[in-house]
Amino acid sequence: MKRILVGVMALVSLAMPYQASAEEPIPSAGALLHQMDEASRELSYELSYILIKKNSIEPLRYRHALENGETYAHLVYLSGPPREVIQRGNEVSYFEPGLEPFTIDSNKMVAPLPPIMKADIDKLSQYYDFISMGRSRETGVACDVVRIAPKDGARYSYLLWIDTRSKLVMRADLLDRDGEPLEQYRAVSYVINPKVGDVLKSLENVKLPAVVQLPPKPQAKLDWQVNWLPQGFKSVSRNRHRLMMTERPVESKMFSDGLFSFSIYISAADHYTVREQLVRQGRRTLHSYLHNGKEVTVVGDIPPATARRVAESIAFLPTGSHELKESISQ
């Protein structure tokens, strides 16, 4: 895979983080999250961290800067095959082994970063409680600890360690409904310095893959509806397509509350169909069952009980009595 060399190793003499006094007053949880959001979007910083899952530890390095109103960012996977993601304004380029590099028109990386770093805090406050948990220490600095807990108890929660000085996230624990960690983002070092911005600004002169031009897809009209969703989840996409391996026709809808997301898939039952299964691996749940000759599958970042309730709330409309395979163009 062709690597992108942007002089990232030229960062030297960067300032070390400041450790705030533990006696400083602690802002409200909501204020801390707004400060965290502002810092993560506007500061020039480098953050090295590990993503800890049940059976893996992934080391990563993330650099970010805001230059003349444009976001520049660079995420590098530090183990295994070389992989990286580059953001330059509203273009995000992906480089992975075995795939041709590509660029998409987007203002957000699809990458292993704490989702709270790009979330709408005001919107989340409608569906989550922000709870101050006091002050602790992480990555060698004093941190304010905040819990983000769902008001309806139907999804996961986060526990955040926010540096008292920089307001960047030093640690983020994703917790299940029993308070057990499903995964952790833990910073091991970080720096805040304009030189990070100077290095990332050099991305302007790097030749990146051309933006992939995707034809607009009309939102498909599907003959089924979901009668129960956790508070705040909204439909963000819907379509019809065929699965690559089996050519099985599938209808789907994707939902998000700005922090978590899940998708629903509906297909006609066939010899691949299992009567019912429920699997959870880390944050990801898969629940499927057979209903009126259709296989209903819910996959996403929600607890198993929530996935089951969403699946069982699906109702098929009278106009959907025709076979799904007939409603999908050949």
Side-chain angles (χ1 to χ4, degrees), residues 48-60 77 79 112-115 138-139 158 161 170-175 180-188 281-284:
S48 295
Y49 62 97
I50 53 175
L51 173 56
I52 305 171
K53 298 182 180 181
K54 183 177 181 180
N55 297 314
S56 67
I57 298 178
E58 183 91 73
L60 304 108
Y77 295 74
S79 66
L113 293 168
E138 191 71 28
T139 323
Y158 267 105
W161 282 254
M170 296 291 102
R171 175 176 168 182
D173 287 11
L174 177 67
L175 308 175
E180 294 297 319
L182 298 173
E183 66 181 31
Q184 295 178 324
Y185 296 85
R186 302 192 72 161
V188 293
Q281 185 174 11
R283 64 159 60 212
R284 185 61 54 91

Side-chain angles (χ1 to χ4, degrees), residues 237-266:
S237 68
R238 60 180 66 188
N239 63 49
R240 295 185 177 99
H241 62 279
R242 293 184 182 273
L243 298 179
M244 292 182 61
M245 298 298 294
T246 64
E247 287 296 310
R248 173 197 258 185
V250 173
E251 297 182 346
S252 66
K253 293 182 182 180
M254 182 177 180
F255 299 85
S256 176
D257 69 348
L259 192 57
F260 300 107
S261 62
F262 66 88
S263 295
I264 302 172
Y265 299 91
I266 306 290

Side-chain angles (χ1 to χ4, degrees), residues 29 33 124-131 146-151:
L33 291 176
L124 291 181
S125 67
Q126 302 175 53
Y127 314 111
Y128 293 85
D129 290 321
F130 303 149
I131 306 165
V146 174
R147 185 179 181 117
I148 302 176
K151 293 182 178 181

Side-chain angles (χ1 to χ4, degrees), residues 27 35 63 78 100 117 161 177 194 215 258 269:
Q35 292 168 0
R63 286 174 172 151
L78 299 178
E100 283 294 321
M117 288 175 59
W161 282 254
R177 295 197 295 178

